[in-house]
Amino acid sequence: GSGLSAVVGVAGGLVRIRQGCIASLRIGDRCEKRDQQLTHVFNSVERGEEASQWIQDFTANTPLQLEQVSQAFIRLKNFGIDPTNGTLQALVDQNEAMGGSFQDLEGLVNALGQAWAKQKLQGEEILQLIERGVPVWELLAEATGKNVTELQEMSSAGELGRETIAALVQEIGKA
């Protein structure tokens, strides 16, 4: 009786070890894929490795998974925004404060990135940020010293450029 249960116990342990190995192989594949993406994004193995290390360190201090941080980092970088300058931290903190999901964080990254790429902060992106809990008008008023009506008129005229977008990110980071 006890011999059989020992064999079953060992077999169960081996199955768990095998599952753990398969899982870590998958994680290894994902890490390798991420490192390849970062090398491509930065056009340098060395800078890609630095970014990979930054992402790992950053992830340790967030409720997000490595894969999620990597995606948000790469997306911001592809939009032309430096994720390491406080931008990713501000967006993650804002999202966390609002109890947002990873999809909400992606929405914040996309809205900010699209505005940055267009070089102007306007209706659609502002709406996407507001829908995800960013009090855009109040933060812009704080950042620029202008009132909401002035800011809305400037936005409609396409006059809220990258400098204003950067100021908004700084205010999100302070909030």
Side-chain angles (χ1 to χ4, degrees):
S2 67
L4 179 61
S5 62
V7 168
V8 168
V10 168
L14 289 174
V15 166
R16 280 192 297 281
I17 290 170
R18 183 171 176 272
Q19 287 169 339
C21 288
I22 290 169
S24 65
L25 283 174
R26 277 197 213 109
I27 290 167
D29 286 349
R30 284 202 304 265
C31 291
E32 195 173 312
K33 184 177 176 230
R34 181 195 66 235
D35 290 348
Q36 287 170 350
Q37 283 180 305
L38 290 168
T39 296
H40 180 74
V41 166
F42 282 96
N43 213 9
S44 153
V45 172
E46 192 176 300
R47 297 210 35 227
E49 286 172 357
E50 288 170 9
S52 181
Q53 188 58 55
W54 187 92
I55 289 169
Q56 288 174 51
D57 295 344
F58 182 87
T59 302
N61 300 313
T62 72
L64 298 170
Q65 295 168 9
L66 192 62
E67 188 85 5
Q68 294 171 325
V69 172
S70 298
Q71 280 179 35
F73 181 101
I74 289 169
R75 183 152 299 148
L76 281 171
K77 185 73 181 132
N78 284 338
F79 275 124
I81 299 172
D82 178 1
T84 66
N85 69 1
T87 301
L88 185 54
Q89 186 70 59
L91 296 178
V92 167
D93 291 349
Q94 171 67 31
N95 191 54
E96 203 176 328
M98 299 310 297
S101 66
F102 177 62
Q103 283 71 28
D104 292 318
L105 176 62
E106 284 181 310
L108 289 172
V109 167
N110 287 337
L112 192 69
Q114 288 163 3
W116 189 262
K118 291 180 191 174
Q119 301 189 28
K120 51 188 161 191
L121 184 60
Q122 289 185 293
E124 190 181 328
E125 290 79 21
I126 291 171
L127 196 58
Q128 289 176 44
L129 291 167
I130 290 171
E131 285 170 354
R132 288 169 182 83
V134 179
V136 173
W137 299 116
E138 293 81 354
L139 294 175
L140 284 175
E142 189 71 37
T144 63
K146 293 180 173 24
N147 68 43
V148 173
T149 306
E150 289 175 290
L151 289 164
Q152 288 174 337
E153 287 169 5
M154 290 174 73
S155 172
S156 295
E159 295 170 3
L160 299 179
R162 283 189 171 174
E163 205 174 289
T164 309
I165 297 168
L168 174 63
V169 171
Q170 279 191 314
E171 289 298 323
I172 291 171
K174 289 181 196 171

